[in-house]
Amino acid sequence: MSIRLDQLSKSFGGLRVVKSTSLEVEDSELFVLLGASGSGKSTILRLIAGLSTPDSGRIWLHGRDVTDLQPQERGIGFVFQNYNLLAALGQIRKPILLKRGMSATIQEWLLASEYILSGGNYDVILCERGI
């Protein structure tokens, strides 16, 4: 998916977090967004996903202007680095376990426990949640 940001800006109160940011990421291109804490990295990702609205500028995904579209209309997924998984675990874990064909006894045990998933299992759940 190609991504293009054109003069994107976002402020919270009097604090400008993203200032006239432009960038282009082509299909299949690897892109890394680096910066100090509070520099606007997460805000840029939230803007691309449609979870926040830019104060100015445009967002293009696959050559289509999606700036004014709702998140569900953009055709992309988003997974936070610091995931709040436990709130959604009960809703997500059961379908994943059922899909993997685990026995009912194992499923009940897993669903009853909140902290037994490894980091890799959390990542699998988050990827499926993003899809």
Side-chain angles (χ1 to χ4, degrees), residues 12-106:
F12 296 102
L15 179 64
R16 181 166 278 184
V17 179
V18 177
K19 182 179 180 182
S20 300
T21 300
S22 296
L23 64 87
E24 192 163 343
V25 181
E26 297 294 333
D27 279 338
S28 303
E29 184 177 17
L30 181 62
F31 180 81
V32 179
L33 190 58
L34 298 173
S37 180
S39 65
K41 302 177 302 293
S42 294
T43 301
I44 289 173
L45 295 175
R46 292 179 63 83
L47 291 166
I48 292 169
L51 301 176
S52 293
T53 305
D55 297 333
S56 62
R58 308 304 295 172
I59 302 165
W60 299 77
L61 300 177
H62 250 340
R64 185 177 109 182
D65 186 348
V66 298
T67 310
D68 299 319
L69 296 181
Q70 295 295 313
Q72 64 271 19
E73 299 173 303
R74 295 181 184 216
I76 61 171
F78 186 91
V79 178
F80 291 94
Q81 178 180 351
N82 296 324
Y83 32 83
N84 182 11
L85 186 57
L86 294 180
L89 207 46
Q91 301 166 12
I92 296 168
R93 205 170 9 175
K94 188 172 183 176
I96 291 172
L97 296 174
L98 291 172
K99 185 167 76 174
R100 293 195 176 161
M102 292 184 173
S103 71
T105 306
I106 294 173

